[in-house]
Amino acid sequence: MSDGTATTTTDLDVRLEKHRVELTGYCYRMLGSSFEAEDAVQDTMVRAWRSYDKFEGRSSLRSWLYRIATNVCLDMLTAGNKRARPMDLTESTPLAQAALSPRPDNTWLEPMPDSRVLPTTEDPAEAAVAKESVRLAFMAALQQLPPKQRAVLILREVLAWKANEVAELLGTTVASVNSALQRARATLAEQQQQPGAEAAVSDPLDDEQQKLLDRYVAAFEGYDMTALTALLHEDAIMTMPPFDLWLTGHDDIAGFMTTLGSACEGSRLVPVQVNGLPGFAQYKPDPEAGGYTPWAVQVLEISDGRLTGFHFFLDTKRWFPLFGLPLHLEAETDQVEEGV
């Protein structure tokens, strides 16, 4: 062992656990999946625990864990699946042609609670970079990169590793790392031109953004489409994974919500912090059991004082437990504490 002394199982577990959140953030950026990221980190921990007696301390424990996590993620990415948002796969659908066609779970970029991927930091600039690096648009752009370019860009641009540190981790040269980073940056620049790439949300929310969210909650819970339309950018985007349908423009969005989406009327919204953005857990009325039943995790994107995107992740049996949210709200309960 690196310190030449026996390390108890408990001591090692504690040392490994200190890195869980940041490793989950890294694996999430690499894989685009909340659950695959947590699986990858668990695999990383198991591998580290089993091979710790071979760890010679030539690098820090943190660097060693990142090396293991990178190998785990690269192995998982050999299948070539690129997780995406609906607008990465199809054209926008006019409301008149809207149809709800689901695709398999492994198609989609998945949401993630901030608390599971963003380590606590006292540095506001560092916190802002971390939040921006898990926003849906950035995550979707990352998925367009080849796996090793993805690792290089995350390690260099998000985690601020030096080129020689990344080269050592990947077993390659500094020149190769720099070349991969340059190609990755060029691809990301192209992706910034895609629909839904903007999300100018301050951290923490400024007064105007908070007021916008308050008006959104009032409009959505009151199902006031006139008020909701006034909050939406004229080119706002609405998505609903696992359905590949996506709508653009406040008229089509409001029209959808009063037709195919009319069952959402009377919903209640509970705030959540998701993907570095404001969001809500949406509960809609439960006509059978009374109260409210989970319907979606909403992720909101804001730019220039308007909502530019809102994304409804509908697989509530997976998402609500991940966020620590209850699977039922009583009728008299308008709010619950955010679970995570």
Side-chain angles (χ1 to χ4, degrees), residues 141 144-146 149 153 157 178-194:
Q144 301 304 311
L145 299 175
Q149 279 188 34
L153 186 125
E157 302 275 274
N178 289 337
S179 176
L181 180 60
Q182 187 174 12
R183 295 196 302 274
R185 284 172 172 166
T187 301
L188 253 63
E190 292 175 9
Q191 293 299 314
Q192 294 306 307
Q193 308 305 315
Q194 298 300 312

PDB file of all heavy atoms in Angstrom, residues 141 144-146 149 153 157 178-194:
ATOM      1  N   ALA A 141     -24.308  17.770 -26.430  1.00  0.00           N
ATOM      2  CA  ALA A 141     -23.156  18.012 -27.307  1.00  0.00           C
ATOM      3  C   ALA A 141     -22.021  17.049 -26.993  1.00  0.00           C
ATOM      4  O   ALA A 141     -21.359  16.526 -27.909  1.00  0.00           O
ATOM      5  CB  ALA A 141     -22.693  19.460 -27.161  1.00  0.00           C
ATOM      6  N   GLN A 144     -21.997  13.711 -28.719  1.00  0.00           N
ATOM      7  CA  GLN A 144     -21.619  13.650 -30.138  1.00  0.00           C
ATOM      8  C   GLN A 144     -20.125  13.408 -30.332  1.00  0.00           C
ATOM      9  O   GLN A 144     -19.663  13.177 -31.456  1.00  0.00           O
ATOM     10  CB  GLN A 144     -22.018  14.962 -30.837  1.00  0.00           C
ATOM     11  CG  GLN A 144     -23.502  15.275 -30.776  1.00  0.00           C
ATOM     12  CD  GLN A 144     -24.356  14.159 -31.341  1.00  0.00           C
ATOM     13  OE1 GLN A 144     -24.093  13.666 -32.440  1.00  0.00           O
ATOM     14  NE2 GLN A 144     -25.371  13.747 -30.589  1.00  0.00           N
ATOM     15  N   LEU A 145     -19.366  13.457 -29.247  1.00  0.00           N
ATOM     16  CA  LEU A 145     -17.924  13.262 -29.352  1.00  0.00           C
ATOM     17  C   LEU A 145     -17.560  11.788 -29.248  1.00  0.00           C
ATOM     18  O   LEU A 145     -18.206  11.036 -28.505  1.00  0.00           O
ATOM     19  CB  LEU A 145     -17.213  14.006 -28.212  1.00  0.00           C
ATOM     20  CG  LEU A 145     -17.395  15.527 -28.147  1.00  0.00           C
ATOM     21  CD1 LEU A 145     -16.732  16.068 -26.885  1.00  0.00           C
ATOM     22  CD2 LEU A 145     -16.817  16.190 -29.390  1.00  0.00           C
ATOM     23  N   PRO A 146     -16.510  11.344 -29.956  1.00  0.00           N
ATOM     24  CA  PRO A 146     -15.986   9.993 -29.727  1.00  0.00           C
ATOM     25  C   PRO A 146     -15.586   9.860 -28.253  1.00  0.00           C
ATOM     26  O   PRO A 146     -15.178  10.850 -27.626  1.00  0.00           O
ATOM     27  CB  PRO A 146     -14.770   9.917 -30.650  1.00  0.00           C
ATOM     28  CG  PRO A 146     -15.000  10.964 -31.685  1.00  0.00           C
ATOM     29  CD  PRO A 146     -15.754  12.065 -31.002  1.00  0.00           C
ATOM     30  N   GLN A 149     -12.270  11.501 -26.983  1.00  0.00           N
ATOM     31  CA  GLN A 149     -12.345  12.961 -27.059  1.00  0.00           C
ATOM     32  C   GLN A 149     -13.226  13.507 -25.940  1.00  0.00           C
ATOM     33  O   GLN A 149     -12.940  14.548 -25.353  1.00  0.00           O
ATOM     34  CB  GLN A 149     -12.928  13.397 -28.411  1.00  0.00           C
ATOM     35  CG  GLN A 149     -11.947  13.404 -29.551  1.00  0.00           C
ATOM     36  CD  GLN A 149     -12.557  14.021 -30.808  1.00  0.00           C
ATOM     37  OE1 GLN A 149     -13.367  14.936 -30.737  1.00  0.00           O
ATOM     38  NE2 GLN A 149     -12.169  13.501 -31.963  1.00  0.00           N
ATOM     39  N   LEU A 153     -11.982  16.214 -23.185  1.00  0.00           N
ATOM     40  CA  LEU A 153     -12.620  17.505 -23.009  1.00  0.00           C
ATOM     41  C   LEU A 153     -13.131  17.691 -21.578  1.00  0.00           C
ATOM     42  O   LEU A 153     -12.960  18.757 -20.980  1.00  0.00           O
ATOM     43  CB  LEU A 153     -13.778  17.684 -23.996  1.00  0.00           C
ATOM     44  CG  LEU A 153     -14.362  19.100 -23.919  1.00  0.00           C
ATOM     45  CD1 LEU A 153     -14.374  19.774 -25.279  1.00  0.00           C
ATOM     46  CD2 LEU A 153     -15.775  19.101 -23.338  1.00  0.00           C
ATOM     47  N   GLU A 157     -11.372  20.668 -19.747  1.00  0.00           N
ATOM     48  CA  GLU A 157     -12.177  21.886 -19.724  1.00  0.00           C
ATOM     49  C   GLU A 157     -13.059  21.998 -18.482  1.00  0.00           C
ATOM     50  O   GLU A 157     -13.298  23.098 -17.993  1.00  0.00           O
ATOM     51  CB  GLU A 157     -13.077  21.943 -20.974  1.00  0.00           C
ATOM     52  CG  GLU A 157     -12.321  21.904 -22.272  1.00  0.00           C
ATOM     53  CD  GLU A 157     -11.841  23.285 -22.704  1.00  0.00           C
ATOM     54  OE1 GLU A 157     -12.609  24.006 -23.350  1.00  0.00           O
ATOM     55  OE2 GLU A 157     -10.682  23.614 -22.383  1.00  0.00           O
ATOM     56  N   ASN A 178      -3.767  17.215 -26.750  1.00  0.00           N
ATOM     57  CA  ASN A 178      -4.046  18.546 -27.281  1.00  0.00           C
ATOM     58  C   ASN A 178      -4.799  18.478 -28.603  1.00  0.00           C
ATOM     59  O   ASN A 178      -5.700  19.295 -28.865  1.00  0.00           O
ATOM     60  CB  ASN A 178      -2.747  19.341 -27.447  1.00  0.00           C
ATOM     61  CG  ASN A 178      -2.154  19.744 -26.103  1.00  0.00           C
ATOM     62  OD1 ASN A 178      -2.855  19.818 -25.096  1.00  0.00           O
ATOM     63  ND2 ASN A 178      -0.847  19.989 -26.079  1.00  0.00           N
ATOM     64  N   SER A 179      -4.438  17.516 -29.435  1.00  0.00           N
ATOM     65  CA  SER A 179      -5.123  17.346 -30.715  1.00  0.00           C
ATOM     66  C   SER A 179      -6.579  16.926 -30.498  1.00  0.00           C
ATOM     67  O   SER A 179      -7.496  17.449 -31.134  1.00  0.00           O
ATOM     68  CB  SER A 179      -4.387  16.294 -31.553  1.00  0.00           C
ATOM     69  OG  SER A 179      -5.090  16.040 -32.757  1.00  0.00           O
ATOM     70  N   ALA A 180      -6.792  15.988 -29.575  1.00  0.00           N
ATOM     71  CA  ALA A 180      -8.156  15.529 -29.276  1.00  0.00           C
ATOM     72  C   ALA A 180      -8.997  16.675 -28.719  1.00  0.00           C
ATOM     73  O   ALA A 180     -10.175  16.821 -29.060  1.00  0.00           O
ATOM     74  CB  ALA A 180      -8.112  14.371 -28.286  1.00  0.00           C
ATOM     75  N   LEU A 181      -8.391  17.497 -27.874  1.00  0.00           N
ATOM     76  CA  LEU A 181      -9.114  18.623 -27.289  1.00  0.00           C
ATOM     77  C   LEU A 181      -9.515  19.627 -28.365  1.00  0.00           C
ATOM     78  O   LEU A 181     -10.640  20.146 -28.353  1.00  0.00           O
ATOM     79  CB  LEU A 181      -8.241  19.302 -26.230  1.00  0.00           C
ATOM     80  CG  LEU A 181      -8.861  20.518 -25.524  1.00  0.00           C
ATOM     81  CD1 LEU A 181     -10.149  20.139 -24.803  1.00  0.00           C
ATOM     82  CD2 LEU A 181      -7.860  21.129 -24.547  1.00  0.00           C
ATOM     83  N   GLN A 182      -8.619  19.885 -29.299  1.00  0.00           N
ATOM     84  CA  GLN A 182      -8.921  20.830 -30.378  1.00  0.00           C
ATOM     85  C   GLN A 182     -10.087  20.331 -31.223  1.00  0.00           C
ATOM     86  O   GLN A 182     -11.012  21.094 -31.564  1.00  0.00           O
ATOM     87  CB  GLN A 182      -7.666  21.027 -31.247  1.00  0.00           C
ATOM     88  CG  GLN A 182      -7.806  22.119 -32.294  1.00  0.00           C
ATOM     89  CD  GLN A 182      -6.499  22.384 -33.028  1.00  0.00           C
ATOM     90  OE1 GLN A 182      -5.543  21.620 -32.911  1.00  0.00           O
ATOM     91  NE2 GLN A 182      -6.442  23.469 -33.777  1.00  0.00           N
ATOM     92  N   ARG A 183     -10.090  19.037 -31.557  1.00  0.00           N
ATOM     93  CA  ARG A 183     -11.189  18.470 -32.358  1.00  0.00           C
ATOM     94  C   ARG A 183     -12.495  18.495 -31.572  1.00  0.00           C
ATOM     95  O   ARG A 183     -13.561  18.787 -32.120  1.00  0.00           O
ATOM     96  CB  ARG A 183     -10.848  17.043 -32.787  1.00  0.00           C
ATOM     97  CG  ARG A 183      -9.670  16.950 -33.735  1.00  0.00           C
ATOM     98  CD  ARG A 183      -9.597  15.602 -34.434  1.00  0.00           C
ATOM     99  NE  ARG A 183      -9.503  14.488 -33.499  1.00  0.00           N
ATOM    100  CZ  ARG A 183      -8.347  14.040 -32.984  1.00  0.00           C
ATOM    101  NH1 ARG A 183      -7.206  14.637 -33.313  1.00  0.00           N
ATOM    102  NH2 ARG A 183      -8.333  13.007 -32.153  1.00  0.00           N
ATOM    103  N   ALA A 184     -12.411  18.201 -30.275  1.00  0.00           N
ATOM    104  CA  ALA A 184     -13.612  18.196 -29.449  1.00  0.00           C
ATOM    105  C   ALA A 184     -14.215  19.594 -29.350  1.00  0.00           C
ATOM    106  O   ALA A 184     -15.434  19.770 -29.429  1.00  0.00           O
ATOM    107  CB  ALA A 184     -13.277  17.666 -28.058  1.00  0.00           C
ATOM    108  N   ARG A 185     -13.359  20.598 -29.186  1.00  0.00           N
ATOM    109  CA  ARG A 185     -13.847  21.979 -29.120  1.00  0.00           C
ATOM    110  C   ARG A 185     -14.550  22.374 -30.410  1.00  0.00           C
ATOM    111  O   ARG A 185     -15.587  23.064 -30.379  1.00  0.00           O
ATOM    112  CB  ARG A 185     -12.682  22.935 -28.852  1.00  0.00           C
ATOM    113  CG  ARG A 185     -12.179  22.936 -27.412  1.00  0.00           C
ATOM    114  CD  ARG A 185     -10.920  23.772 -27.314  1.00  0.00           C
ATOM    115  NE  ARG A 185     -10.472  23.974 -25.936  1.00  0.00           N
ATOM    116  CZ  ARG A 185      -9.270  24.431 -25.629  1.00  0.00           C
ATOM    117  NH1 ARG A 185      -8.389  24.716 -26.594  1.00  0.00           N
ATOM    118  NH2 ARG A 185      -8.932  24.611 -24.356  1.00  0.00           N
ATOM    119  N   ALA A 186     -14.016  21.961 -31.545  1.00  0.00           N
ATOM    120  CA  ALA A 186     -14.628  22.304 -32.829  1.00  0.00           C
ATOM    121  C   ALA A 186     -16.010  21.671 -32.960  1.00  0.00           C
ATOM    122  O   ALA A 186     -16.964  22.308 -33.422  1.00  0.00           O
ATOM    123  CB  ALA A 186     -13.721  21.842 -33.975  1.00  0.00           C
ATOM    124  N   THR A 187     -16.128  20.416 -32.534  1.00  0.00           N
ATOM    125  CA  THR A 187     -17.427  19.745 -32.592  1.00  0.00           C
ATOM    126  C   THR A 187     -18.440  20.429 -31.673  1.00  0.00           C
ATOM    127  O   THR A 187     -19.596  20.645 -32.049  1.00  0.00           O
ATOM    128  CB  THR A 187     -17.298  18.267 -32.190  1.00  0.00           C
ATOM    129  OG1 THR A 187     -16.379  17.619 -33.085  1.00  0.00           O
ATOM    130  CG2 THR A 187     -18.643  17.558 -32.250  1.00  0.00           C
ATOM    131  N   LEU A 188     -18.005  20.800 -30.470  1.00  0.00           N
ATOM    132  CA  LEU A 188     -18.907  21.477 -29.543  1.00  0.00           C
ATOM    133  C   LEU A 188     -19.353  22.833 -30.079  1.00  0.00           C
ATOM    134  O   LEU A 188     -20.514  23.228 -29.890  1.00  0.00           O
ATOM    135  CB  LEU A 188     -18.235  21.647 -28.173  1.00  0.00           C
ATOM    136  CG  LEU A 188     -18.783  20.729 -27.080  1.00  0.00           C
ATOM    137  CD1 LEU A 188     -18.545  19.262 -27.420  1.00  0.00           C
ATOM    138  CD2 LEU A 188     -18.169  21.063 -25.728  1.00  0.00           C
ATOM    139  N   ALA A 189     -18.462  23.539 -30.742  1.00  0.00           N
ATOM    140  CA  ALA A 189     -18.829  24.838 -31.322  1.00  0.00           C
ATOM    141  C   ALA A 189     -19.945  24.665 -32.353  1.00  0.00           C
ATOM    142  O   ALA A 189     -20.875  25.481 -32.435  1.00  0.00           O
ATOM    143  CB  ALA A 189     -17.605  25.492 -31.958  1.00  0.00           C
ATOM    144  N   GLU A 190     -19.871  23.593 -33.147  1.00  0.00           N
ATOM    145  CA  GLU A 190     -20.939  23.307 -34.120  1.00  0.00           C
ATOM    146  C   GLU A 190     -22.245  22.997 -33.406  1.00  0.00           C
ATOM    147  O   GLU A 190     -23.325  23.427 -33.833  1.00  0.00           O
ATOM    148  CB  GLU A 190     -20.546  22.127 -35.005  1.00  0.00           C
ATOM    149  CG  GLU A 190     -19.389  22.389 -35.942  1.00  0.00           C
ATOM    150  CD  GLU A 190     -18.978  21.123 -36.692  1.00  0.00           C
ATOM    151  OE1 GLU A 190     -19.713  20.119 -36.594  1.00  0.00           O
ATOM    152  OE2 GLU A 190     -17.936  21.154 -37.361  1.00  0.00           O
ATOM    153  N   GLN A 191     -22.176  22.241 -32.310  1.00  0.00           N
ATOM    154  CA  GLN A 191     -23.376  21.849 -31.579  1.00  0.00           C
ATOM    155  C   GLN A 191     -24.081  23.046 -30.951  1.00  0.00           C
ATOM    156  O   GLN A 191     -25.292  23.004 -30.724  1.00  0.00           O
ATOM    157  CB  GLN A 191     -23.024  20.836 -30.484  1.00  0.00           C
ATOM    158  CG  GLN A 191     -22.544  19.499 -31.015  1.00  0.00           C
ATOM    159  CD  GLN A 191     -23.593  18.795 -31.855  1.00  0.00           C
ATOM    160  OE1 GLN A 191     -24.760  18.718 -31.482  1.00  0.00           O
ATOM    161  NE2 GLN A 191     -23.184  18.287 -33.001  1.00  0.00           N
ATOM    162  N   GLN A 192     -23.344  24.112 -30.675  1.00  0.00           N
ATOM    163  CA  GLN A 192     -23.964  25.293 -30.079  1.00  0.00           C
ATOM    164  C   GLN A 192     -24.936  25.978 -31.021  1.00  0.00           C
ATOM    165  O   GLN A 192     -25.720  26.828 -30.603  1.00  0.00           O
ATOM    166  CB  GLN A 192     -22.877  26.290 -29.644  1.00  0.00           C
ATOM    167  CG  GLN A 192     -21.985  25.795 -28.517  1.00  0.00           C
ATOM    168  CD  GLN A 192     -22.770  25.341 -27.288  1.00  0.00           C
ATOM    169  OE1 GLN A 192     -23.590  26.085 -26.766  1.00  0.00           O
ATOM    170  NE2 GLN A 192     -22.516  24.125 -26.842  1.00  0.00           N
ATOM    171  N   GLN A 193     -24.906  25.592 -32.287  1.00  0.00           N
ATOM    172  CA  GLN A 193     -25.848  26.163 -33.253  1.00  0.00           C
ATOM    173  C   GLN A 193     -27.157  25.383 -33.319  1.00  0.00           C
ATOM    174  O   GLN A 193     -28.092  25.773 -34.006  1.00  0.00           O
ATOM    175  CB  GLN A 193     -25.206  26.176 -34.658  1.00  0.00           C
ATOM    176  CG  GLN A 193     -23.829  26.819 -34.729  1.00  0.00           C
ATOM    177  CD  GLN A 193     -23.818  28.238 -34.186  1.00  0.00           C
ATOM    178  OE1 GLN A 193     -24.691  29.031 -34.491  1.00  0.00           O
ATOM    179  NE2 GLN A 193     -22.820  28.545 -33.357  1.00  0.00           N
ATOM    180  N   GLN A 194     -27.242  24.269 -32.595  1.00  0.00           N
ATOM    181  CA  GLN A 194     -28.426  23.420 -32.652  1.00  0.00           C
ATOM    182  C   GLN A 194     -29.551  24.014 -31.808  1.00  0.00           C
ATOM    183  O   GLN A 194     -29.319  24.795 -30.891  1.00  0.00           O
ATOM    184  CB  GLN A 194     -28.087  22.016 -32.136  1.00  0.00           C
ATOM    185  CG  GLN A 194     -27.026  21.293 -32.948  1.00  0.00           C
ATOM    186  CD  GLN A 194     -27.440  21.096 -34.389  1.00  0.00           C
ATOM    187  OE1 GLN A 194     -28.548  20.657 -34.674  1.00  0.00           O
ATOM    188  NE2 GLN A 194     -26.534  21.426 -35.306  1.00  0.00           N
TER     189      GLN A 194
END
